[in-house]
Amino acid sequence: MEGELTALAASVATTVVGLFVSDVWVQAKERLARFFNRRGAGEDAVDELEADRERLLAARAAGNDAGVAAAETAARGRLLDALMRDPGMAEELRLLLADLEPGTTYNITTGGVNNGPSFQVGHVHGGVNFTVPSAYPTGATVKPDQVPAPPVRYSNRVAELARLNSVFMSTAGHCEGEEPDVAMLWGVSGVGKRALACKWAAGAKALFPGGQLYVDLGGLRGRSVIGISPGTDVSEGLASCLRGLGVADVCIPDSVAERSALLRSRSAGRRVLVVLDGVTQAAQVRPFLPKGPGSGVLVISPLDLGELVADGARPIPVKPLDMAGGLELLADRCGAQAVERERAAAERLVQLCGGLPVALQIVVARLLGGEGLDMASLAVELEDEAGRLAELSLPALVPGEEYSVSTALGPSYRLLPPDAARLYRRLGWAPYGLFDAGVAAVAGSFDIRTVKRLLRTLVGAGLVEKTGDDRYRMHDLIRLHARACAAQEEPAGEEKAVVERVVTHYVALVALADRAIREDRLRCADLSSLLSGADDPFSAVGGPAPLPWLDAEHPAILAVLRAAAGHGLHVRTYQLSEAFTVLFLHRRYLAAWKESLQLGIDAAVAAAASAETAGAVAEATAVEARLLSLRSRPLLDLDENDLALQHLETAVARADTTGDLRLQASVQEFFGRYLDRVDPRSAVDAYRRSLDLNTRSGEARGAAIASYFLGCAQDALEDHAVALTTLREARRDLLALGKPDLRMAARTMAAIGVVHGQLGEVEEALRVLGKAADDLHAVNGLHYEAQALVDRADIAEAAGDRSDLVRDCLTRAHAIYEHEGSPLADELRRRLDGMG
């Protein structure tokens, strides 16, 4: 046996010597060094081989045949020592040389010298015979089945599974040489992409008779160590595929290019599926493209890789589950009866989890665990934003391996470029999860062009969703993660700075919308410096209409108000509260109006208490009076009359200290509207005071409005003829303003119609009220349109034989009140039901 090993050493040594002077020596040296070190031959083996090579080259250059022979002898000796210590390394070394020097054949026989295609050593003993083939050894045909099994219980994603089928069902008809079909499942971490891919692959084995390969590039990156090159995940992934196709480790080349080429060779003629998980760049996919006709590649990525789509991949976004999908998951895990028994709580859990499967799976684990939780109690627990992320986690059985939403979202966040990551963190501090590029720009302190680019990055990462109206949505759960990242990474004080920038942005926009709707309305907060030189989107050609914009944005504005108050931004809070009121004068969202005004009142009181100048105190006091009087309106609509009276009495006292006649006139008008309910005669007096104060201050619109309310009070006192005269004069004055007040003029016409009804002039009353309702609808005075419709229905019903008209008016009014959240909706519903 020793003789056989000696012959083998002589054979391979000759090849190594040949490599000394070949073009592949650099690659050969590295691989031979790893070979020797792995086999325990010493760390200096490669240095010794390099020294042998230098001596050989020097001897050849000098024509020194003896020196050449000496170098060869040294190399043979080194190999012989290694082989004697570890005889099993002979086969491994043979395969290594096959890769480095293909086409060489070693045939060690019982004697003689063979100068043919095999290298033969003379004077050998025994029958050791081996050949270095010109291609990699194929071994037995292997059918890989590497894709992990899908979850034991899997539900949902019917549409996505169908799309995968549509992409890959056609691959069977592909011809030799065609590129494989590539599909890309992309979405935020934790959305269930891997489970979806595994589920589909499990049902698609018949499509890929050559087998299924799976590479977790994200896992390979996670296992990488410092100093490993960026392509290590691809290189190791290719090695994994080659092993799955039956290639031995010693036959796997070093470079990515060679491994990719070998993968194409080994996949030629067989239809295989390659599933690549954790892909973050298009370049990571290309080396894995198999060559077999009908093969396919399924990419799983947290990013929407546009470059990969440009290469022909079919993108399939995987979004959070909708309500139906979330409930189906809960029913599948917890039982359909449990979900039906606590339907409202189950729906709230889906909302709180944002439809993220990872969050819902944690919810399931907690519900089925030993905590004794039901859905309602867990939903209550998760309502607290401050602790929600912490509650959506499971105890770690192994330190550092916690199963949580934060852990799941981590990869998507860590892949973001620095600027996009900063925008993501700061958007977590923005008061509302639905925003446009302008809000994102001020939150992140970026210009608009840059922020649009960064938002595309966040959309591509699945962390932000673009809606159909050029706005963006960040779900509450993702916002909480962004906020947690911001708390760890942003400088101290940045949260308040972000909120203040966003609040100031909204104050300017809402104030501009307010002025676009009615420039001459009474305002007490001075915004001249803020609005001076500000771009007004509502006056621009093609800009948004102010009232629909306010209507669409009102949940965001209310959230901004809350954030401003919570951060002690008193002046900005009352400024925004006052400007925001214009929406509620047209849309009676009573709860929101009531809350927004209370936030403004509290802020005005706090601002006055902390003000450092008399002017600041005076403004805050005037704003307090203004907002107190305004808040009496939703309070009266909600039948909170006693609180409305307290507000009005305080408002009168505060207004009297300011010396502002316009403010005093306005407060008297609001007081009159309270007195309409409890003391109509005193209401007339209040309106006369308001009319006088407006006239003295030169406020023509205020005087006309006071006349309108005076006429209504006179009608309530059954002084109908006088009321008709007062109301006609008020309507004339409203239409005669520099900018006619069409909305108040339409309200006045409705009041005139009511007076005609009181006078028994039914047809005229119905005609005038019908015209008034149409005019109010045209100017978005929906609340008052509903009032006119109800008055018209009352008159028609009293006159008799007009049931169709009554039903039509009440139905339209009911729809408006229901939209506003008014308690009057229930009253009209009962009335309609009673009509049969």
Side-chain angles (χ1 to χ4, degrees):
M1 184 65 183
E2 181 177 345
E4 296 170 358
L5 291 176
T6 302
L8 177 58
S11 302
V12 296
T14 300
T15 300
V16 171
V17 170
L19 292 173
F20 281 174
V21 294
S22 74
D23 293 335
V24 299
W25 170 248
V26 174
Q27 176 191 357
K29 180 177 69 173
E30 294 177 354
R31 297 185 65 182
L32 286 167
R34 291 199 298 272
F35 170 80
F36 283 125
N37 289 336
R38 186 171 67 251
R39 305 298 294 201
E43 295 183 0
D44 297 330
V46 70
D47 293 333
E48 294 170 352
L49 284 173
E50 182 66 32
D52 291 337
R53 175 175 177 269
E54 290 176 357
R55 285 195 294 271
L56 184 144
L57 293 176
R60 281 196 174 187
N64 182 356
D65 293 338
V68 171
E72 291 178 357
T73 300
R76 291 191 190 96
R78 223 173 314 285
L79 290 169
L80 179 59
D81 288 344
L83 289 167
M84 293 298 292
R85 286 194 298 272
D86 185 0
M89 72 187 297
E91 176 68 7
E92 186 175 350
L93 183 57
R94 178 186 72 81
L95 294 173
L96 172 64
L97 291 173
D99 186 18
L100 295 172
E101 191 73 3
T104 303
T105 302
Y106 297 84
N107 184 17
I108 303 176
T109 64
T110 56
V113 177
N114 183 352
N115 293 317
S118 300
F119 181 86
Q120 186 176 18
V121 180
H123 308 294
V124 297
H125 306 278
V128 178
N129 187 317
F130 65 93
T131 299
V132 179
S134 59
Y136 292 92
T138 60
T141 301
V142 177
K143 180 179 178 179
D145 188 15
Q146 297 180 342
V147 179
V152 176
R153 302 177 68 86
Y154 188 88
S155 56
N156 295 296
R157 304 301 190 191
V158 175
E160 291 86 349
L161 290 168
R163 290 193 64 185
L164 284 169
N165 284 334
S166 71
V167 171
F168 290 111
M169 283 295 188
S170 61
T171 58
H174 280 206
C175 301
E176 189 72 42
E178 287 190 37
E179 289 285 326
D181 279 323
V182 180
M184 177 179 66
L185 298 174
W186 73 274
V188 69
S189 303
V191 81
K193 303 181 296 295
R194 180 183 295 116
L196 171 60
C198 294
K199 173 65 176 177
W200 180 82
K205 290 185 178 181
L207 285 177
F208 303 101
Q212 297 184 349
L213 300 165
Y214 175 83
V215 178
D216 181 4
L217 293 171
L220 291 172
R221 282 193 299 273
R223 292 192 293 273
S224 297
V225 295
I226 295 175
I228 298 296
S229 65
T232 296
D233 52 351
V234 173
S235 180
E236 290 302 312
L238 287 166
S240 174
C241 289
L242 292 172
R243 294 186 194 102
L245 292 170
V247 179
D249 279 357
V250 294
C251 297
I252 296 175
D254 280 354
S255 73
V256 168
E258 290 175 306
R259 291 181 178 189
S260 179
L262 184 55
L263 174 63
R264 291 193 294 274
S265 297
R266 293 308 302 268
S267 62
R270 59 200 302 180
R271 193 157 73 243
V272 298
L273 173 69
V274 181
V275 178
L276 301 176
D277 197 353
V279 173
T280 57
Q281 302 173 37
Q284 294 169 328
V285 176
R286 297 178 185 120
F288 291 93
L289 298 179
K291 193 174 182 181
S295 293
V297 178
L298 178 53
V299 174
I300 306 170
S301 176
L303 307 173
D304 182 9
L305 299 173
E307 186 179 352
L308 192 59
V309 176
D311 286 348
R314 315 277 186 87
I316 301 175
V318 184
K319 297 184 178 182
L321 298 172
D322 59 15
M323 179 58 70
L327 290 175
E328 183 180 343
L329 189 151
L330 290 179
D332 188 56
R333 306 300 194 276
C334 301
Q337 289 183 344
V339 170
E340 285 305 312
R341 188 168 55 249
E342 296 187 86
R343 179 80 180 195
E347 291 179 352
R348 186 57 183 150
L349 285 173
V350 174
Q351 291 172 342
L352 291 169
C353 291
L356 278 178
V358 64
L360 288 167
Q361 295 285 11
I362 292 170
V363 162
V364 168
R366 294 195 59 190
L367 289 171
L368 300 181
E371 298 182 67
L373 290 169
D374 58 16
M375 294 186 186
S377 58
L378 183 54
V380 170
E381 193 174 292
L382 296 180
E383 288 288 352
D384 177 20
E385 278 195 351
R388 189 178 304 161
L389 279 180
E391 297 299 337
L392 285 173
S393 64
L394 298 176
L397 299 178
V398 178
E401 296 187 8
E402 179 187 54
Y403 186 63
S404 68
V405 171
S406 292
T407 303
L409 291 174
S412 290
Y413 170 64
R414 289 192 294 272
L415 288 170
L416 295 174
D419 280 354
R422 183 162 67 253
L423 177 61
Y424 173 73
R425 294 193 298 269
R426 292 179 176 179
L427 286 174
W429 276 331
Y432 197 62
L434 184 64
F435 49 86
D436 60 17
V439 174
V442 297
S445 288
F446 295 103
D447 63 77
I448 196 70
R449 169 179 277 184
T450 299
V451 88
K452 286 183 177 180
R453 173 176 56 80
L454 297 178
L455 284 169
R456 287 196 296 271
T457 300
L458 294 182
V459 169
L463 295 167
V464 167
E465 176 187 0
K466 188 172 184 181
T467 66
D469 53 357
D470 286 331
R471 295 197 291 177
Y472 300 84
R473 178 181 288 107
M474 178 184 274
H475 185 271
D476 287 348
L477 205 55
I478 294 177
R479 287 177 62 228
L480 291 176
H481 177 262
R483 195 176 301 171
C485 294
Q488 293 179 351
E489 301 177 43
E490 291 291 324
E494 185 59 28
E495 178 180 3
K496 184 173 183 179
V498 168
V499 172
E500 187 164 10
R501 290 195 298 268
V502 173
V503 170
T504 301
H505 175 78
Y506 268 102
V507 170
L509 280 176
V510 174
L512 288 169
D514 174 26
R515 284 153 176 76
I517 292 170
R518 189 78 211 179
E519 179 66 35
D520 56 359
R521 195 168 64 83
L522 172 64
R523 300 173 184 89
C524 295
D526 181 8
L527 296 177
S528 55
S529 60
L530 177 64
L531 301 182
S532 176
D535 292 332
D536 184 357
F538 306 105
S539 63
V541 176
L547 189 58
W549 180 84
L550 285 166
D551 203 359
E553 287 285 326
H554 88 266
I557 299 169
L558 187 57
V560 169
L561 258 174
R562 293 169 182 150
H567 284 82
L569 304 173
H570 304 312
V571 173
R572 290 297 189 219
T573 301
Y574 74 61
Q575 290 171 340
L576 184 54
S577 175
E578 183 183 33
F580 193 24
T581 287
V582 69
L583 171 67
F584 304 111
L585 295 175
H586 293 79
R587 301 283 191 271
R588 290 302 181 95
Y589 303 133
L590 297 177
W593 193 10
K594 178 181 170 183
E595 181 186 357
S596 68
L597 287 169
Q598 187 61 59
L599 290 170
I601 291 164
D602 293 342
V605 172
S610 60
E612 297 180 355
T613 66
V617 172
E619 178 178 284
T621 301
V623 170
E624 181 192 358
R626 174 69 171 154
L627 299 184
L628 282 166
S629 61
L630 283 166
R631 194 167 188 261
S632 68
R633 295 303 301 131
L635 292 175
L636 290 173
D637 286 350
L638 293 168
D639 291 327
E640 298 181 40
N641 297 339
D642 292 343
L643 184 56
L645 176 59
Q646 293 176 24
H647 278 25
L648 289 165
E649 289 174 340
T650 304
V652 169
R654 297 287 187 270
D656 286 347
T657 66
T658 66
D660 185 335
L661 298 182
R662 293 181 65 206
L663 175 60
Q664 293 171 10
S666 176
V667 171
Q668 286 297 325
E669 175 201 307
F670 281 108
F671 214 138
R673 296 168 78 174
Y674 163 78
L675 293 170
D676 280 335
R677 298 192 173 203
V678 297
D679 186 356
R681 196 161 299 279
S682 295
V684 169
D685 294 337
Y687 292 134
R688 290 193 186 281
R689 288 194 295 272
S690 178
L691 177 58
D692 177 62
L693 289 165
N694 276 304
T695 302
R696 286 165 55 195
S697 66
E699 180 57 41
R701 178 173 178 268
I705 292 174
S707 294
Y708 158 73
F709 286 113
L710 176 60
C712 292
Q714 291 167 338
D715 183 54
L717 291 173
E718 299 184 358
D719 199 352
H720 306 309
V722 174
L724 196 58
T725 299
T726 303
L727 289 169
R728 284 172 172 164
E729 290 176 353
R731 184 170 183 271
R732 179 200 62 204
D733 292 343
L734 288 164
L735 293 173
L737 296 171
K739 180 182 179 182
D741 193 334
L742 301 178
R743 179 169 169 272
M744 283 304 303
R747 288 180 63 186
T748 306
M749 178 179 281
I752 291 170
V754 171
V755 175
H756 281 300
Q758 298 283 15
L759 293 171
E761 301 166 353
V762 174
E763 296 304 326
E764 181 66 5
L766 294 177
R767 183 192 69 78
V768 172
L769 281 165
K771 179 65 166 60
D774 291 343
D775 289 351
L776 286 163
H777 185 82
V779 296
N780 287 302
L782 300 184
H783 178 77
Y784 300 107
E785 176 191 356
Q787 285 186 351
L789 289 167
V790 172
D791 288 336
R792 194 173 189 228
D794 291 343
I795 294 171
E797 189 172 51
D801 199 26
R802 288 181 172 85
S803 59
D804 289 344
L805 177 60
V806 173
R807 185 185 301 278
D808 177 67
C809 290
L810 294 180
T811 300
R812 290 166 57 191
H814 174 267
I816 294 171
Y817 284 143
E818 189 170 52
H819 178 68
E820 292 179 344
S822 171
L824 294 173
D826 293 336
E827 179 183 329
L828 291 189
R829 181 73 269 163
R830 289 191 296 270
R831 189 170 167 184
L832 282 165
D833 292 342
M835 293 181 67

